[in-house]
Amino acid sequence: MSEPDPPTRVRSTPQLELRGVTKRFGGVAAVDGVTFEIDEGDIVGIIGPNGAGKTTLLNCISGLQRLDGGDIRWHGASISGMPPHRIARLGIGRTFQIVRPFGSMTVRENAAVGALFGSADARRGPKQAFAIADEVLELVGLAAKAGLPVSALTIPDRKRLEVARAVATKPHLLLLDEVMAGLNNVEIDEALEMVRAVHATGVTVLLIEHVMRVIIGICRHAIVLDFGQVLAQGEPDVVLRDERVIQAYLGERYAKRLKP
């Protein structure tokens, strides 16, 4: 009697899928035919030189900029053309490179804004929003500064607050745009722990970063953009040794440090 055929493994639908995503400004394609997918619970890093289209890509995913081509799918359904508030309510949160907290509010009040207005639960009241704010401030390490005015925060703490406000929306996918830019080594280590803590709550993370030890330290998958196109993608250790990536972005000095 012949052996039965092994069961066919059915691949689950990706949480986020980009198919040929293109965004032009005038005659220039800032994002040009980008295709990749992210599974639920993953943590993925996007790297590339300045002007490669990284932030524009996050703007397209979060609805801030409309596509000129391609499609973005969330759990298999297209979200292309949706306004940012509807995408946020689907469970996609994000931070921005330039943090802009509400200066007249306390740290706690800033975090509560995310819970009130970014969540899928639009009817959440102030009491519940502040409870969520307390929870996320504890998660990102700002609980002791909850009552302070934003003006009293350092730059690293303002970046933490930016993450807290995004996490307060209760996202399933969090887009982080260079939250570690301008930090020293100690602050980067602290920020790494913060991202790990957020990811450990079950949030999928897609982050833009220039600090390679962040990409190697926490990302399971790396995507390299150059001139708006995907130059390489895969496991970080493999991608960072790709000659095309070294020539376009990392440089020979960094490549020498990778050699055993």
Side-chain angles (χ1 to χ4, degrees):
M1 183 179 293
S2 61
E3 291 284 336
D5 292 332
T8 302
R9 184 180 177 185
V10 179
R11 193 182 184 284
S12 60
T13 302
Q15 187 179 50
L16 180 74
E17 185 177 6
L18 277 65
R19 300 178 177 177
V21 169
T22 299
K23 176 62 185 177
R24 297 185 183 90
F25 296 100
V28 178
V31 176
D32 188 6
V34 169
T35 295
F36 65 82
E37 57 188 46
I38 298 175
D39 293 326
E40 191 168 354
D42 208 347
I43 182 164
V44 177
I46 299 178
I47 63 176
N50 292 330
K54 303 183 294 297
T55 294
T56 300
L57 188 63
L58 292 199
N59 289 343
C60 290
I61 295 170
S62 58
L64 287 177
Q65 291 172 336
R66 288 181 173 269
L67 306 187
D68 291 311
D71 192 20
I72 298 175
R73 306 184 74 81
W74 176 249
H75 292 286
S78 177
I79 60 172
S80 300
M82 279 189 184
H85 70 276
R86 285 190 60 195
I87 290 177
R89 288 177 179 175
L90 288 174
I92 300 177
R94 71 162 295 177
T95 67
F96 293 85
Q97 281 187 43
I98 300 174
V99 296
R100 291 193 178 99
F102 297 102
S104 61
M105 296 181 179
T106 65
V107 170
R108 186 173 185 245
E109 289 167 342
N110 267 272
V113 167
L116 277 172
F117 298 108
S119 171
D121 186 358
R123 296 183 180 179
R124 188 171 283 149
K127 184 176 180 180
Q128 190 178 7
F130 278 113
I132 292 170
D134 293 337
E135 174 188 316
V136 298
L137 290 176
E138 182 71 37
L139 183 68
V140 305
L142 282 178
K145 300 178 181 179
L148 294 179
V150 169
S151 59
L153 295 183
T154 62
I155 292 298
D157 281 344
R158 288 188 180 213
K159 288 177 176 286
R160 287 177 179 273
L161 179 56
E162 180 80 357
V163 174
R165 194 165 55 181
V167 174
T169 69
K170 294 295 184 180
H172 302 293
L173 168 66
L174 181 60
L175 311 176
L176 299 176
D177 195 351
E178 294 193 42
V179 295
M180 300 179 204
L183 304 185
N184 62 37
N185 287 334
V186 173
E187 292 162 350
I188 288 172
D189 288 338
E190 293 170 348
L192 270 170
E193 289 307 310
M194 175 185 65
V195 174
R196 288 191 182 105
V198 171
H199 179 250
T201 65
V203 177
T204 307
V205 176
L206 175 62
L207 61 89
I208 294 173
E209 195 49 69
H210 283 291
V211 182
M212 290 304 102
R213 66 187 179 94
V214 173
I215 299 297
I216 294 172
I218 61 175
C219 294
R220 301 172 182 171
H221 191 85
I223 299 165
V224 186
L225 291 186
D226 189 34
F227 293 105
Q229 298 179 334
V230 175
L231 182 64
Q233 61 177 306
E235 295 182 4
D237 283 346
V238 175
V239 167
L240 296 183
R241 286 177 168 80
D242 189 308
E243 283 298 327
R244 296 170 300 169
V245 177
I246 292 169
Q247 291 176 12
Y249 179 51
L250 297 176
E252 292 299 332
R253 181 180 298 179
Y254 182 86
K256 289 178 182 178
R257 287 161 50 194
L258 291 175
K259 293 179 181 179

